[in-house]
Amino acid sequence: MSQHLSELYRFLAGLIRFGTVVEADYSIARVRVDCGGVVSNWLPWIAERAGNDRSWHALEVGEQVAVLSPGGETAQGIVLGSIYQAAHPAPANSVDVRRYEFKDGAVIEYDRAKHKLYADIPGDAEIVAAKSITANAGTTVDAEAKERITLKAPLLEFEGGLIRLIGPIESGGRGGETHPMKINGPMEHTGGNYVNPDNDVVANGISLSGHHHVCPTCGETGAPK
């Protein structure tokens, strides 16, 4: 075999290597890869975006990767990306599914065949918008919390049809302060007594607990008891 062919084979053999990440330095976005017992220098990895828009999904120790080395020199190589292995198999088996599984158990998945976005977060989820957040649903919107749902705004508006509240309702401040409630329209109350302890009900300026009636035979009646 001529020296020229030997050099060509060496170049091709070193062009792409497979290995395992053995060290990571996230401050410089570099990893070292063990390729068949030979550990590389600090190498960058391919990012989805790295310009005005930037993305970050760092490689970890133990990931199996492919390394592209121009000229066959691993020192000048870049890590192309991860490869599934027995210890870390593929998290899905459908061409219609894009799925992310995280070490803490979080899952984010979109199934284009079912048109369904799914997220399972073991901790907190937060959305921050400098302006508006709009949510539209073709059928229903369900929200459930084990402890509390809090809405904070200078004005809460509900538009549409019937508003049904199931369960007790309490109006007022957290510290016990009172706030007025205004209802523009008729109100119907059924299924129990109207209880207003130690206070009064006033309609059209007339007190329920303090009003008097004129009696044609005995003057004016006392207040209700």
Side-chain angles (χ1 to χ4, degrees), residues 145-192:
K146 299 298 183 182
E147 295 183 5
R148 184 180 70 247
I149 295 177
T150 302
L151 301 175
K152 297 180 180 180
L155 175 65
L156 296 178
E157 292 185 349
F158 296 89
E159 297 182 6
L162 175 68
I163 297 176
R164 179 179 290 115
L165 300 176
I166 302 173
I169 302 173
E170 181 177 337
S171 174
R174 293 183 181 274
E177 66 271 19
T178 60
H179 298 282
M181 177 182 292
K182 180 184 292 187
I183 299 176
N184 185 15
M187 183 177 68
E188 180 180 344
H189 172 256
T190 59

Side-chain angles (χ1 to χ4, degrees), residues 108-125:
I108 300 175
E109 177 183 288
Y110 181 72
D111 188 327
R112 68 183 182 187
K114 297 179 180 179
H115 317 297
K116 181 178 180 180
L117 176 65
Y118 172 79
D120 186 350
I121 310 299
D124 298 326

Side-chain angles (χ1 to χ4, degrees), residues 34-90:
D34 184 341
C35 300
V38 178
V39 178
S40 72
N41 294 333
W42 292 105
L43 304 178
W45 64 80
I46 293 290
E48 184 179 5
R49 295 296 300 274
N52 290 328
D53 296 338
R54 294 174 293 167
S55 61
W56 174 263
H57 202 172
L59 296 175
E60 291 187 273
V61 172
E63 284 194 67
Q64 184 172 290
V65 296
V67 178
L68 173 64
S69 302
E73 297 296 331
T74 307
Q76 305 300 321
I78 57 173
V79 180
L80 297 179
S82 297
I83 301 171
Y84 297 125
Q85 54 180 301
H88 304 287

